[in-house]
Amino acid sequence: MKNYDKIIFELSKPGRKGYSLPKDKYETEGLKSIPTDLLREKPADLPEVSELDVVRHYTNLSNKNFGVDTGFYPLGSCTMKYNPKINEELCSLPSFTSLHPLQDEESVQGALELYWNLQRMLSEIAGLEEFTLNPYAGAHGELTGLMVMKKYHESRGDHKRKKVIVPDSAHGTNPASAMVAGFDVVEVKSKPNGSIDVEDLKPLLDDTVAGIMMTNPNTLGMFETEITDIAKLVHEAGGLLYYDGANLNPLLGKVRPGDMGFDIMHINLHKTFSTPHGGGGPGSGPVGVASHLVQYLPNPRVVKDEKGKFHIEGNNNEALGNISGFLGNFGVMMRAYAYILSLGKEHIKDVGPLATLNANYIKENLKDDYLLPIEGVCKHEFVFDGLKDKSTEVTTLNVAKRLLDYGFHAPTIYFPLLFHESMMIEPTETESKDTLDSFINVMHEIAREARETPELVKNAPNNTIVRKLDETTAAKNPILTYKALKEQEA
């Protein structure tokens, strides 16, 4: 690891320069306008490298990086879907990229029409009345949706509804978002197949419950067959149903959350509608609501008048107010819009069945070597509980690391917490049978290695640039800057 650090970071040599800027004719006046206590007394301690060194450094790093464009990415619960290149072309059109959010409405009618059309499309797909596109990410959408829930109850004078029910298999953002929104979290137990235990739910429903957060299919990839019963029980108790849209992909065009009884949902555009995923953003987490909650969606909103003109409406006093700058991440929405139009209403319904087929194909081909805790047809993802043969003590983590040696990204591991050695695998509808067969063959090979040469698997990865790391030390003492590395080596 030490040698790798040197390769990456020790390119700096005193006197090397990678830039040449013209002298600023306002330099003297500019310095005078900066408070004296903010002026540097000595130059910043930055690497000194040539432009060529910088270009090669980042190009080489990009070649070493793994992404959905370079290989299979079966990351469970996150739907690492291929991003069609036409999306990038369309969102890069100068007529869109040169827009400014403060332009007059008349000059941005095309962009507002795109917003409005996407709102309508998502409403149709979700079976809900209206959407806001303002939230910047899925977690931001969760928080916004829960704020709508809170606003709804408070507007009716029902201030004692302080509890949100969350399944024990829920995504981690669910209880976190509920807490940030000011709710108390109450856990409901799952049955062995990951579905909500309705009998455990019933005693939790009283006049202090604001709602329940769910995803369907659930985190184990199984469809909640009692969803209509759950919806009836929660609504009779005066609560609302919140749908976590992370697992929407297998339902596209087949089942709509609104039809199941959900009142609020967020959609992760990056998970379901092929926009870029990861890297900290930009993201988008649109929030949809049923008709009785529309007035609480945040300002501003794009509306269409009777003459077909589009306007930005921001004076709704019942709304949450602004939860983001302007109208969210326009470029991300453009990509999702292009994806939906590319599929069309007649083909979007093919996404879910193909994703489901791919997941079940992998599951059925690997269950002889890997422990399958839940039998039956899954949807878009499924969970193994480690290797079937645990005699050599090869763990789920070891299997995940060994996959890197074979050129595959590892699936989600140790989540959900319902199983000790969870390995959550989620292919998407765009993966070919050839890719799935290659992954299946490698997983079988790793199982064989675990039986015959377990140390090979336990020491993995063996042929990646960065080998097995001391993750505890990395977490406690991360080296995140050039200066920190220099200080450590000194």
Side-chain angles (χ1 to χ4, degrees):
M1 186 58 191
K2 190 73 170 179
N3 291 336
Y4 178 71
D5 286 338
K6 290 180 181 295
I7 292 171
I8 293 299
F9 292 101
E10 292 188 4
L11 302 176
S12 176
K13 299 291 182 183
R16 285 185 178 174
K17 293 183 179 179
Y19 67 92
S20 178
L21 300 177
K23 185 174 178 59
D24 183 0
K25 63 181 179 180
Y26 303 110
E27 181 179 354
T28 304
E29 290 78 4
L31 289 175
K32 287 180 180 178
S33 67
I34 301 175
T36 305
D37 61 334
L38 295 180
L39 288 172
R40 285 190 176 277
E41 296 180 358
K42 57 182 181 179
D45 184 16
L46 298 174
E48 297 179 67
V49 289
S50 70
E51 179 178 327
L52 180 58
D53 288 335
V54 171
V55 169
R56 286 176 175 168
H57 170 69
Y58 284 107
T59 300
N60 287 329
L61 279 183
S62 69
N63 290 335
K64 295 179 177 75
N65 195 27
F66 190 97
V68 73
D69 284 359
T70 61
F72 185 37
Y73 213 131
L75 195 64
S77 206
C78 277
T79 315
M80 297 298 284
K81 182 180 287 194
Y82 171 68
N83 305 152
K85 297 302 172 267
I86 191 173
N87 296 1
E88 304 303 315
E89 291 181 27
L90 293 176
C91 77
S92 299
L93 293 173
S95 53
F96 287 117
T97 58
S98 60
L99 294 178
H100 192 281
L102 294 178
Q103 282 183 230
D104 183 79
E105 285 181 356
E106 287 295 322
S107 68
V108 291
Q109 283 293 298
L112 296 182
E113 182 177 1
L114 188 154
Y115 268 97
W116 191 84
N117 285 342
L118 184 57
Q119 289 172 183
R120 302 268 45 83
M121 289 174 175
L122 295 180
S123 295
E124 175 64 23
I125 289 169
L128 295 170
E129 183 68 22
E130 188 59 88
F131 264 82
T132 175
L133 309 181
N134 296 8
Y136 285 135
H140 192 200
E142 275 189 16
L143 178 60
T144 302
L146 287 161
M147 290 166 68
V148 168
M149 182 184 291
K150 192 172 188 178
K151 183 85 171 178
Y152 164 75
H153 289 301
E154 291 179 347
S155 69
R156 299 165 66 245
D158 205 348
H159 297 285
K160 60 184 175 182
R161 293 190 179 272
K162 300 289 187 182
K163 297 177 183 176
V164 168
I165 298 172
V166 177
D168 57 8
S169 64
H171 299 133
T173 51
N174 289 181
S177 296
M179 292 288 287
V180 172
F183 291 108
D184 297 323
V185 175
V186 178
E187 186 177 271
V188 60
K189 291 185 177 0
S190 298
K191 293 186 287 188
N193 69 349
S195 298
I196 287 177
D197 188 334
V198 176
E199 295 307 312
D200 189 61
L201 173 64
K202 289 177 181 178
L204 304 178
L205 295 171
D206 57 27
D207 59 3
T208 66
V209 171
I212 185 172
M213 299 184 77
M214 297 174 58
T215 187
N216 195 17
N218 60 38
T219 307
L220 296 178
M222 307 301 288
F223 192 83
E224 294 276 358
T225 57
E226 297 180 276
I227 183 59
T228 53
D229 294 333
I230 293 170
K232 182 179 179 182
L233 288 168
V234 174
H235 286 151
E236 286 177 347
L240 300 177
L241 272 75
Y242 183 96
Y243 184 88
D244 177 346
N247 292 353
L248 180 63
N249 201 53
L251 303 187
L252 283 187
K254 289 293 184 182
V255 183
R256 306 191 306 176
D259 297 336
M260 297 181 213
F262 286 94
D263 304 285
I264 309 170
M265 74 173 293
H266 82 270
I267 293 177
N268 306 70
L269 288 190
H270 54 282
K271 292 185 179 182
T272 309
F273 296 106
S274 78
T275 69
H277 189 163
S284 184
V287 171
V289 295
S291 57
H292 58 290
L293 301 172
V294 171
Q295 65 267 35
Y296 306 118
L297 287 175
N299 288 323
R301 290 172 53 205
V302 175
V303 297
K304 184 180 182 181
D305 66 21
E306 64 278 0
K307 295 181 180 179
K309 291 283 188 178
F310 298 93
H311 306 280
I312 300 174
E313 183 183 84
N315 56 358
N316 177 11
N317 294 328
E318 291 187 87
L320 293 178
N322 293 52
I323 53 94
S324 59
F326 304 106
L327 289 160
N329 284 322
F330 182 60
V332 178
M333 296 167 206
M334 287 183 62
R335 291 170 170 89
Y337 186 64
Y339 174 74
I340 294 172
L341 287 180
S342 297
L343 289 176
K345 189 172 184 178
E346 66 273 29
H347 293 301
I348 200 167
K349 65 180 181 294
D350 296 330
V351 170
L354 289 173
T356 298
L357 177 64
N358 282 353
N360 282 278
Y361 180 70
I362 293 178
K363 172 173 67 70
E364 292 301 311
N365 276 280
L366 289 180
K367 66 181 185 180
D368 288 342
D369 275 332
Y370 294 86
L371 183 60
L372 182 64
I374 300 175
E375 291 285 351
V377 177
C378 66
K379 296 304 175 191
H380 63 306
E381 65 187 3
F382 61 92
V383 179
F384 284 131
D385 191 5
L387 287 158
K388 253 189 175 181
D389 183 353
K390 301 182 186 297
S391 62
T392 58
E393 300 183 344
V394 171
T395 66
T396 284
L397 176 62
N398 299 145
V399 173
K401 295 294 187 184
R402 184 60 174 151
L403 272 170
L404 303 179
D405 286 331
Y406 286 97
F408 289 109
H409 196 282
T412 300
I413 62 173
Y414 297 117
F415 177 81
L417 302 178
L418 297 175
F419 307 115
H420 181 62
E421 285 202 73
S422 289
M423 184 186 302
M424 184 186 290
I425 298 174
E426 179 183 0
T428 63
E429 70 283 353
T430 51
E431 297 295 345
S432 68
K433 183 175 180 296
D434 293 338
T435 297
L436 302 184
D437 285 338
S438 295
F439 177 74
I440 289 166
N441 291 337
V442 165
M443 289 289 282
H444 281 310
E445 178 64 15
I446 293 172
R448 184 192 64 77
E449 292 172 346
R451 293 189 299 269
E452 298 176 6
T453 55
E455 292 307 311
L456 177 67
V457 184
K458 291 178 181 180
N459 292 325
N462 300 291
N463 56 23
T464 54
I465 294 169
V466 178
R467 305 298 171 82
K468 197 165 188 176
L469 303 177
D470 182 344
E471 296 179 8
T472 302
T473 301
K476 290 183 176 180
N477 184 31
I479 301 171
L480 304 176
T481 65
Y482 165 77
K483 186 176 180 180
L485 180 70
K486 287 179 65 178
E487 291 173 349
Q488 186 193 67
E489 292 183 342

